[in-house]
Amino acid sequence: MKTRFAPSPTGHLHIGGARTAIFAWLQAKANNGKFLLRFEDTDKERSKKEYVDSIINSLKWLGIEPDEKPLFQSDRINRHKEIALDLHKKGLAYSCNVSSERLEEVRKIQQQNKQQPRYDGFSRDLNLPHEEGNVLRFKMPLDGITSFEDKILKKISINNKELDDFIILRSDGSPTYNFCAAIDDLDMQITNVIRGDDHLTNTLKQINILKAMNSELPEYAHLPMVLSSSGKRLSKREGALDILEYKKMGYLKEAMVNYLIKLGWSFKEQEIFSESDLIEHFDIKNVNSSAAKFSQELLDFYNNHYLKESNLEELFVYINGNFSLSEKFMRNDKKFEIVDLMREGSKNISNLVDELTFFYEDPDISDELMKNIQIDKSLLDSFKEELKEVDFKDKLLIGVFIDSFLTKNNMKFPLLGKPLRLILTGKSNAPSISDLLYLIGKESCINRIDNYLNS
RNA sequence: GUCCCCUUCGUCUAGCGGUUAGGACACCGGGUUUUCAUCUCGGCAACAGGGGUUCGAUCCCCCUAGGGGACGCCA
């Protein structure tokens, strides 16, 4: 089995493209096959080297590496031209010199007549010699139906009347996408084509090219689209980010892959999949046939999961390498324990790093929060004095001290805990008090309480 | 507009003619020797509508509605 991912380098890789790549890659890996990468860069205006690099880097981040050197469609123009001309020679394509003005006119009339706008076959039987300035059009069958068995969507068929004689060679002699894609898949011996279902009609056209060449058809699987959370097509405006932006925000690749693969695919009731789980269980036939909306909450859930699951040392090195922790924090001898604690409730790494500040810097307590601190200052003062005597070597002893202090003063925990959390961290959302006291350290804690008492 | 595809809890999904329609996220509530969060236990919540076929339809067929896609000398 051989699969491929064939992006056009006209933009960064976003969620939808990344998902397609993962599916194609997994389909190959799950079947001991090869996964190839092909850049469809026949649009010279919009294709950029910058995007080629960005796409390769994105795939690399996700752990996807092609099994052969990436192929560039633009390197194969001569081959495409040659075949196009050959089709012409065999009478399977024809030269056409209809002006774009007339094409537009025809489309307008068709629309008015509630017909599908399409080329009307004006030059089909003119037998024009192919000369500079003309386009070459493919002769689509005039009747019958084109159909195929999609691995995900099942039977797809269309009346050939709906398909028009599309251009395979432009008037400047350059080959077009649908033609190149069909030829390349053939030459690369791709056995399984996996792409978004926005390619459905392209597939129908490409099948006819392949049929005209008496070639065998690959198997096709069309993935339903990923829509934005509001159900619209993913676009910049609809929140389609460069996949590497997620890396920058502190999403782990394991989380991204797990989320993306679960967006449409399922295996029993399992939610968490390692790479080897995926390779073992992935089967394209278990992909859902309907479109899915992007969900930030679910991505966050997976990210939090992998943040908690990953090896602490490795995670720490990764965080420091990509998010450069502050000097002060790196000098803290409890830094590993702090990260270990703080990853429990973190959605992503940049968020986690932000939450680290109060462990090495006295917090600024906003006036808003200050108002929420309600505690008897003399009580807090005696708490502080007794705290000075507590052994901070052991977290458990701190817990024991808090318990006894509460009992002695006959008070409920929240009465002490809530204001103390604010004083210590400047936040109302933070880990348990004994964890905080222990990890912030005795000296800083006492300092912060003093600061409050003196304010 | 024409053609194609899709339609199960708010979201991601399981189901493949007979199920109390299952799981996960989110949300809500209880518990964790009293804590916002974590953890844990529990709860809420769905077969788009209408016709068939069938002893029986979430599941098969048709229609309607809604959503998405394609309709380029872009890919």
Side-chain angles (χ1 to χ4, degrees):
Chain A
M1 175 181 294
K2 228 185 224 184
T3 68
R4 104 274 111 130
F5 177 55
S8 65
T10 53
H12 296 290
L13 188 69
H14 63 205
I15 293 283
R19 188 179 72 137
T20 306
I22 293 171
F23 277 86
W25 169 76
L26 253 185
Q27 163 90 319
K29 296 297 135 189
N31 291 283
N32 244 311
K34 282 192 170 179
F35 168 77
L36 309 185
L37 184 56
R38 178 176 79 225
F39 286 100
E40 314 226 305
D41 56 346
T42 48
D43 185 339
K44 281 166 252 161
E45 301 291 309
R46 296 194 303 145
S47 296
K48 299 248 160 58
K49 171 81 166 60
E50 170 200 351
Y51 295 130
V52 169
D53 295 338
S54 158
I55 290 169
I56 289 176
N57 286 336
S58 298
L59 293 176
K60 199 174 281 178
W61 176 54
L62 294 169
I64 299 177
E65 303 243 16
D67 293 310
E68 285 172 20
K69 225 174 103 218
L71 189 109
F72 289 83
Q73 203 154 56
S74 57
D75 290 342
R76 295 176 34 84
I77 287 182
N78 289 338
R79 164 80 177 151
H80 298 138
K81 279 185 186 170
E82 190 186 310
I83 294 179
L85 263 13
D86 188 53
L87 285 179
H88 181 226
K89 202 181 296 170
K90 287 178 177 153
L92 298 165
Y94 60 93
S95 192
C96 168
N97 60 4
V98 172
S99 69
S100 43
E101 289 78 23
R102 186 181 174 277
L103 288 177
E104 218 156 286
E105 187 117 339
V106 169
R107 282 193 197 106
K108 207 181 285 172
I109 293 168
Q110 286 165 332
Q111 292 238 24
Q112 279 166 4
N113 294 338
K114 305 195 173 195
Q115 289 171 322
Q116 169 141 243
R118 52 199 282 283
Y119 176 67
D120 62 359
F122 183 82
S123 310
R124 185 169 171 120
D125 300 314
L126 262 37
N127 278 321
L128 263 35
H130 190 54
E131 51 194 32
E132 190 96 359
N134 285 10
V135 298
L136 215 54
R137 285 182 182 274
F138 177 71
K139 264 190 192 171
M140 201 55 86
L142 292 173
D143 43 36
I145 59 167
T146 299
S147 70
F148 69 98
E149 192 70 16
D150 189 272
K151 285 290 169 202
I152 296 170
L153 301 173
K154 306 305 169 197
K155 193 181 170 98
I156 304 292
S157 66
I158 194 168
N159 197 315
N160 286 337
K161 287 188 183 71
E162 304 295 337
L163 268 15
D164 66 357
D165 295 341
F166 66 96
I167 291 171
I168 58 177
L169 233 46
R170 300 185 184 93
S171 53
D172 68 358
S174 64
T176 60
Y177 163 77
N178 268 310
F179 184 64
C180 297
I183 302 301
D184 289 345
D185 284 336
L186 181 65
D187 286 352
M188 290 165 80
Q189 299 177 2
I190 301 299
T191 59
N192 295 70
V193 172
I194 298 174
R195 51 175 36 153
D197 72 4
D198 49 338
H199 280 281
L200 229 31
T201 41
N202 290 332
T203 297
L204 269 353
K205 290 179 184 176
Q206 293 173 21
I207 283 176
N208 281 295
I209 293 276
L210 261 13
K211 278 185 175 169
M213 295 175 66
N214 281 321
S215 303
E216 257 186 64
L217 267 36
E219 291 197 337
Y220 294 97
H222 290 85
L223 294 172
M225 302 270 92
V226 179
L227 306 175
S228 71
S229 51
S230 51
K232 297 277 175 251
R233 187 189 189 137
L234 234 36
S235 66
K236 273 200 185 128
R237 207 186 160 70
E238 281 291 322
L241 299 178
D242 173 1
I243 199 87
L244 289 175
E245 288 298 317
Y246 288 96
K247 184 188 180 196
K248 284 186 198 144
M249 287 187 277
Y251 287 86
L252 263 19
K253 70 151 195 193
E254 291 83 358
M256 190 50 94
V257 170
N258 202 144
Y259 170 68
L260 253 18
I261 202 73
K262 281 287 292 171
L263 203 58
W265 176 78
S266 62
F267 177 72
K268 299 186 176 167
E269 288 189 340
Q270 190 170 336
E271 309 289 344
I272 303 298
F273 293 88
S274 67
E275 189 176 305
S276 56
D277 283 340
L278 289 173
I279 292 172
E280 186 183 344
H281 299 301
F282 183 79
D283 190 333
I284 196 82
K285 75 170 199 279
N286 292 128
V287 176
N288 196 39
S289 57
S290 53
K293 290 179 191 167
F294 175 77
S295 162
Q296 186 65 48
E297 279 87 12
L298 242 196
L299 212 209
D300 286 346
F301 160 74
Y302 280 110
N303 205 228
N304 174 256
H305 173 85
Y306 284 101
L307 240 22
K308 289 186 292 194
E309 289 299 299
S310 46
N311 174 285
L312 183 60
E313 325 273 302
E314 283 170 21
L315 179 66
F316 194 94
V317 169
Y318 179 79
I319 293 174
N320 193 227
N322 291 277
F323 295 82
S324 50
L325 295 164
S326 81
E327 294 278 320
K328 262 187 183 168
F329 183 74
M330 288 304 282
R331 283 197 297 270
N332 191 317
D333 57 2
K334 292 204 182 80
K335 56 180 184 287
F336 286 102
E337 287 167 89
I338 292 172
V339 168
D340 193 25
L341 176 71
M342 295 308 285
R343 65 178 171 167
E344 288 296 326
S346 286
K347 306 283 183 214
N348 58 57
I349 296 169
S350 53
N351 166 294
L352 187 156
V353 170
D354 287 347
E355 296 289 313
L356 255 27
T357 323
F358 61 73
F359 284 103
Y360 56 86
E361 239 164 46
D362 291 348
D364 277 331
I365 303 173
S366 68
D367 293 346
E368 184 76 22
L369 287 176
M370 199 63 122
K371 278 184 225 151
N372 292 332
I373 301 178
Q374 288 179 344
I375 186 166
D376 183 85
K377 286 198 175 184
S378 64
L379 185 73
L380 184 62
D381 191 58
S382 56
F383 176 80
K384 182 198 71 180
E385 289 306 320
E386 288 183 40
L387 191 65
K388 285 179 179 171
E389 307 306 319
V390 175
D391 182 1
F392 265 54
K393 287 258 168 21
D394 190 341
K395 192 161 72 174
L396 286 176
L397 292 177
I398 300 175
V400 170
F401 160 67
I402 291 175
D403 277 351
S404 67
F405 183 84
L406 291 173
T407 322
K408 198 166 65 187
N409 291 284
N410 190 28
M411 65 192 294
K412 295 260 186 195
F413 186 89
L415 240 46
L416 174 72
K418 287 188 179 180
L420 200 53
R421 177 174 292 109
L422 285 166
I423 291 164
L424 256 22
T425 68
K427 294 168 187 297
S428 48
N429 256 35
S432 77
I433 293 296
S434 44
D435 280 333
L436 286 175
L437 288 167
Y438 173 69
L439 292 172
I440 290 171
K442 188 191 278 189
E443 199 184 333
S444 294
C445 287
I446 287 170
N447 244 329
R448 290 177 194 184
I449 295 172
D450 270 334
N451 285 347
Y452 172 73
L453 290 173
N454 298 332
S455 67

